[in-house]
Amino acid sequence: MARRDPQEKKALSYAKDRRNDYGENDKSSRKNIRRNKRTPNRSDRHRERQTLAAATGAAVPAEAAEAAEIKLLARKSMWFTTRWRKWRDAPLADIVVSKLRRRAGLGMTDPAATEATIERIRRQSSTP
């Protein structure tokens, strides 16, 4: 394996490293991803249990059982109606550029120097 010089390492870092740009703590994703995958299944089970409760018992008319079955088949699952999907994190270069542009827009840094830095980041991230 060949050794990389610092410029190559920086270019790879800008291209391959990822940051959470959704606005939440990156460590909270460990819990939130599981929670968002778990919620639709739980609500579907709850809905099905409520629908089947009307059609259970010793003396249930056939019409009530058929109505419950039709209601279960007609209702779409929460997986299909309000589906949650994971989003991939953004490349480090994009995050750094957006932070630099925001700082320049607020007057925290010189806009000309910021654009020079952004151009340098773009050149570095396209090198590998």
Side-chain angles (χ1 to χ4, degrees):
M1 185 170 163
R3 293 188 139 209
R4 292 194 170 102
D5 59 343
Q7 291 80 13
E8 286 179 297
K9 287 182 181 180
K10 187 72 165 187
L12 285 172
S13 175
Y14 276 140
K16 292 191 174 190
D17 289 357
R18 299 278 181 168
R19 293 293 184 271
N20 188 332
D21 64 339
Y22 188 68
E24 64 182 7
N25 184 350
D26 58 340
K27 289 156 191 68
S28 70
S29 298
R30 288 183 293 200
K31 293 180 182 178
N32 290 336
I33 289 172
R34 292 187 191 112
R35 181 181 299 128
N36 287 325
K37 290 171 76 174
R38 186 172 58 222
T39 301
N41 293 322
R42 183 178 180 189
S43 69
D44 289 341
R45 286 193 305 268
H46 182 72
R47 179 184 53 82
E48 290 169 2
R49 186 166 184 228
Q50 284 183 328
T51 304
L52 290 174
T56 56
V60 176
E63 300 86 29
E66 286 181 32
E69 185 177 355
I70 290 170
K71 189 174 180 182
L72 278 177
L73 293 175
R75 178 74 190 245
K76 289 254 185 205
S77 169
M78 188 175 167
W79 274 109
F80 299 112
T81 56
T82 57
R83 179 112 191 234
W84 176 84
R85 291 189 176 268
K86 290 195 293 186
W87 286 88
R88 64 176 173 262
D89 293 340
L92 179 61
D94 294 347
I95 298 296
V96 171
V97 166
S98 65
K99 284 186 178 184
L100 290 172
R101 286 215 170 103
R102 184 182 64 82
R103 289 176 188 164
L106 292 173
M108 296 170 68
T109 59
D110 180 37
T114 300
E115 287 304 318
T117 306
I118 290 171
E119 183 57 36
R120 190 177 73 240
I121 290 171
R122 294 282 183 215
R123 279 196 318 266
Q124 284 180 344
S125 62
S126 64
T127 304

